[in-house]
Amino acid sequence: MQSKFEDFRWDVVAGGAMILIALLFLVVGSQLTFGSLTRMGPGFLPVCAAIGLVVLGAVVALEGLKGETAVPELPKLRPFLVVIACPIVFSLMIEWAGMVPTVLVTAVLARMAEPLKWGWDLVLVPIGLAAVGVFIFIDFLGVAIPAF
Amino acid sequence: MQDTILYGFSLAGTWQNLGFALVGCLLGTLIGVLPGVGPLATISMLLSMTIYLDPLSSLVMLAGIFYGAQYGGSTTAILCNLPGEASAVVTVLDGHQMARKGRAGAALAVAALASLFAGVCATIVIALFAPVLSNFALRFNAPEYFALMLLGLMAAVVFSGAKMSKALAMACLGVLLGCVGTDVETGASRFTFGLPELSEGIGMVALSMGLFGLSEIIMNISKSDSREVMQAKIGRLWPSREEAGRAAPAAARGTLIGSLLGVLPGGGVVLSTFVAYMFEQKISKTPEIFGKGAVEGLAAPEAANNAAAQTSFIPLLTLGIPTTPTLALMLGAMVMQGIQPGPEVMVARPDLFWGLIASMLIGNVMLVIINLPLIGLWVQLLRVPYRILFPVILTICCIGAYSLEFSAVDLMALSAFAGAGVLLVAFGFPPVPLLLGYILGPLAEENLRRAMAISGGDATVFVTRPISLTIMLLIVALIAVVTLPTFRRNREVFDEQ
């Protein structure tokens, strides 16, 4: 299994992904006015850059076919998912729950990036952060988010 | 009175602004000192804090954050043998060796004082030369600006240290991401998919915080088993008379080298640290002690690093071209404040220009004043476990990013860029050209349009005007140099060192 992972031609996939992203931009961008060199429309630069990205994606994929394979340095899944989830959870809660509950939940969630072990920090860090949110952001900096 | 540094001090030197400089320095050091969080990540995470302030105060605070982040990075480099960015690699060589010999306090003090000296000298260089260069730059027109932006982008590609094809792909992707939003010229919506939140484009804070800040946090937690905690004593803070005597001239030489090389696009800052170190080793009577805790080997690159970081502001202030990723963020922050750096700023807004220069000096001095007594505190911070540090950073990042526009889309983008940042690096795609493409793309498009409109659609305009031709030739030379086989071999040797 390990050797399969190491031998896999990741750059071919990466180049393919680049081409897909570029095609998305190309398809949407081609609906914009392209214009001419003298009067460039809003579609001129995006279409040119997207074509460039298609070509470069193909080059990356072709280069990945030959030579040694590079092993990607992937992160651990747990911190990856937790860190990515934090802003999403924050954005889903903040509008109806207000600063304090949102911060408490986000801080506890962020703590789960590493294996949970009981410690006073588990309670004190979220409370401290809620205080920072209320006193520094709302009171001092004047950010217009309700506390609750 | 309107065009001197004194004018700047009269504006930036208010108690309120000094307070912002202090807060900026403290926050910058606080985050910058965390292992694995380099200056770029630090600034990207703290940017949102400065947006609430008026333009001058925000520049002052940004300058504080900038220096704090740099200095915090050096502290971690010296104490933990962890360079936060390429320009700190050389600092580690002798700095960490000094720390291991129980001279950590002296190493940190030498680094701080060498940086202060270099920062002050280089700021004077800016004050003297930026107005001259600005006058020259007033002759630049759209073709020259477009060529310069292309140069900045290509330099980021070439010096990214990744495969050319991957780095170029990132630059293209960055340009595409920069296109998202309302087209300034025609008012057409591009790639907004009907979302009103995207009509102003993808937020720079979300992009940079995700790509550089949060993704570094993910990688740090992933690698946290191998974290080396500094147990050694800090020792006496002041360098001995003999050390100071050796460090001072080395810092002066480093300052000179850094000031000169810092103006170069792309790799100027990093290059200056290597050149300064090798120069010291070459002229030293005892080259064998380098790498074993030579104080010259610490003072010279630290001074060069700081001087170069400082003079790299010259192209930003006079031409509006960021030559390093950190400066690209500074440019973005200025644009958010409604300041478009360029030769006009000095004429139209002398208060901002001289205020910034004065705040650089204030930031440098402030940094040393607060950091020398606080070194013990920063060291304690290095011992705080990740399980406390990272929830704090992560939550504050979320509040900061959200409070800019109160937009949930910004936070979704933050998440997406954090994930993308980790995956891109894992597969060998450098994120820095993406950032530069994203920031320079819209500016380059505007100038390309103007250039084409002036020339009536004649693309040869870029090679028929002397200044623009020179810049284009520089770009060609840059690409040729890295793709030619002889240089590639040299660079591999250089990278290994």
Side-chain angles (χ1 to χ4, degrees):
Chain A
M1 192 62 202
Q2 188 66 25
S3 69
K4 215 173 188 177
F5 182 81
E6 280 168 11
D7 288 339
F8 194 76
R9 303 230 165 240
W10 287 106
D11 276 1
V12 180
V13 182
M18 288 293 142
I19 295 178
L20 276 181
I21 296 171
L23 285 178
L24 176 75
F25 275 102
L26 194 58
V27 169
V28 180
S30 60
Q31 289 159 7
L32 298 161
T33 321
F34 189 75
S36 63
L37 265 182
T38 329
R39 285 190 60 85
M40 285 178 194
F44 190 93
L45 184 76
V47 167
C48 292
I51 292 174
L53 190 54
V54 170
V55 174
L56 288 164
V59 173
V60 170
L62 286 176
E63 279 177 347
L65 276 177
K66 51 183 183 183
E68 280 177 39
T69 54
V71 187
E73 260 187 69
L74 288 176
K76 284 185 191 153
L77 195 59
R78 181 179 177 136
F80 182 78
L81 291 180
V82 168
V83 172
I84 285 184
C86 279
I88 297 179
V89 168
F90 189 95
S91 71
L92 292 178
M93 275 188 75
I94 189 83
E95 269 165 48
W96 56 271
M99 181 74 93
V100 172
T102 311
V103 166
L104 290 177
V105 170
T106 311
V108 172
L109 176 66
R111 174 65 183 76
M112 293 200 226
E114 286 188 272
L116 276 179
K117 243 187 291 171
W118 167 252
W120 279 106
D121 59 281
L122 214 56
V123 182
L124 294 179
V125 169
I127 292 176
L129 280 168
V132 167
V134 172
F135 294 117
I136 295 192
F137 279 90
I138 298 179
D139 288 352
F140 182 68
L141 291 171
V143 176
I145 301 175
F148 285 95
Chain B
M1 182 63 187
Q2 287 260 310
D3 52 357
T4 64
I5 186 85
L6 290 177
Y7 179 53
F9 275 116
S10 70
L11 298 166
T14 63
W15 283 112
Q16 198 194 4
N17 282 340
L18 288 179
F20 284 123
L22 178 73
V23 173
C25 279
L26 276 174
L27 283 177
T29 317
L30 191 72
I31 307 286
V33 83
L34 302 176
V37 182
L40 184 60
T42 307
I43 295 171
S44 71
M45 290 191 279
L46 291 174
L47 258 189
S48 60
M49 305 258 167
T50 66
I51 310 285
Y52 316 105
L53 310 174
D54 67 87
L56 186 62
S57 302
S58 87
L59 284 183
V60 172
M61 188 168 161
L62 269 175
I65 292 174
F66 183 77
Y67 299 121
Q70 300 263 357
Y71 184 72
S74 304
T75 307
T76 324
I78 291 169
L79 294 181
C80 301
N81 201 15
L82 274 178
E85 60 168 5
S87 59
V89 168
V90 193
T91 305
V92 167
L93 297 176
D94 281 284
H96 186 61
Q97 290 304 322
M98 275 182 81
R100 294 193 119 176
K101 288 182 179 164
R103 306 285 299 133
L108 290 170
V110 166
L113 294 172
S115 297
L116 171 69
F117 174 75
V120 171
C121 289
T123 308
I124 295 170
V125 170
I126 299 182
L128 289 177
F129 289 101
V132 183
L133 203 67
S134 245
N135 274 332
F136 178 67
L138 283 173
R139 281 190 269 166
F140 282 28
N141 212 323
E144 283 77 25
Y145 278 113
F146 177 75
L148 270 173
M149 282 157 193
L150 205 58
L151 176 65
L153 194 55
M154 287 314 294
V157 166
V158 163
F159 291 109
S160 67
K163 261 193 191 162
M164 193 73 170
S165 55
K166 290 182 171 177
L168 270 175
M170 284 298 96
C172 271
L173 187 58
V175 170
L176 285 170
L177 292 174
C179 286
V180 175
T182 311
D183 179 25
V184 204
E185 195 98 345
T186 59
S189 288
R190 298 196 286 199
F191 311 110
T192 57
F193 302 103
L195 286 171
E197 287 91 343
L198 280 180
S199 63
E200 303 237 334
I202 294 172
M204 187 195 64
V205 169
L207 184 133
S208 58
M209 196 188 264
L211 219 46
F212 300 100
L214 297 199
S215 70
E216 287 215 15
I217 292 182
I218 296 175
M219 289 319 284
N220 274 311
I221 303 178
S222 293
K223 284 188 259 176
S224 59
D225 316 330
S226 59
R227 181 181 175 200
E228 181 192 342
V229 181
M230 176 71 195
Q231 297 296 351
K233 280 231 172 80
I234 297 306
R236 227 162 50 89
L237 193 58
W238 294 107
S240 68
R241 194 172 287 258
E242 188 251 339
E243 279 173 328
R246 274 164 38 207
R253 288 187 289 264
T255 303
L256 189 68
I257 292 170
S259 301
L260 289 174
L261 295 181
V263 194
L264 298 179
V269 181
V270 181
L271 187 68
S272 74
T273 60
F274 279 92
V275 171
Y277 187 82
M278 288 191 274
F279 185 73
E280 285 306 315
Q281 199 172 16
K282 201 133 239 170
I283 63 164
S284 168
K285 286 182 195 121
T286 51
E288 66 279 1
I289 63 163
F290 276 74
K292 292 178 189 138
V295 70
E296 302 95 320
L298 169 68
E302 259 313 281
N305 184 10
N306 223 40
Q310 200 77 30
T311 53
S312 61
F313 269 96
I314 292 180
L316 178 67
L317 293 174
T318 57
L319 303 166
I321 308 289
T323 51
T324 64
T326 9
L327 285 181
L329 289 184
M330 298 291 274
L331 171 68
M334 292 182 196
V335 171
M336 277 196 230
Q337 288 284 356
I339 312 161
Q340 180 71 60
E344 299 86 12
V345 165
M346 213 169 307
V347 184
R349 298 293 305 270
D351 54 327
L352 287 178
F353 177 80
W354 292 107
L356 177 66
I357 304 268
S359 61
M360 288 174 172
L361 283 171
I362 294 171
N364 264 305
V365 176
M366 186 76 81
L367 190 72
V368 173
I369 294 174
I370 61 165
N371 271 318
L372 287 183
L374 289 184
I375 281 176
L377 180 73
W378 306 132
V379 175
Q380 289 301 316
L381 199 68
L382 285 175
R383 299 193 178 125
V384 176
Y386 280 175
R387 65 171 196 278
I388 294 177
L389 280 180
F390 286 140
V392 173
I393 301 180
L394 208 50
T395 312
I396 290 184
C397 277
C398 287
I399 304 176
Y402 180 76
S403 58
L404 292 180
E405 301 277 341
F406 303 109
S407 138
V409 173
D410 269 358
L411 285 178
M412 304 281 179
L414 174 63
S415 251
F417 283 114
V422 173
L423 293 178
L424 287 175
V425 173
F427 292 100
F429 289 87
V432 166
L434 191 155
L435 174 72
L436 268 285
Y438 161 81
I439 290 193
L440 286 177
L443 300 173
E445 181 182 26
E446 202 182 319
N447 284 295
L448 179 63
R449 271 182 175 148
R450 256 188 237 147
M452 285 296 109
I454 297 169
S455 70
D458 181 8
T460 59
V461 66
F462 298 111
V463 288
T464 49
R465 298 166 63 103
I467 300 175
S468 147
L469 174 66
T470 315
I471 303 168
M472 286 294 181
L473 287 176
L474 270 175
I475 299 176
V476 174
L478 194 65
I479 299 171
V481 155
V482 278
T483 40
L484 288 180
T486 43
F487 182 82
R488 252 163 81 177
R489 263 199 303 281
N490 280 336
R491 197 169 80 149
E492 273 154 26
V493 176
F494 187 77
D495 282 345
E496 272 165 33
Q497 282 184 347

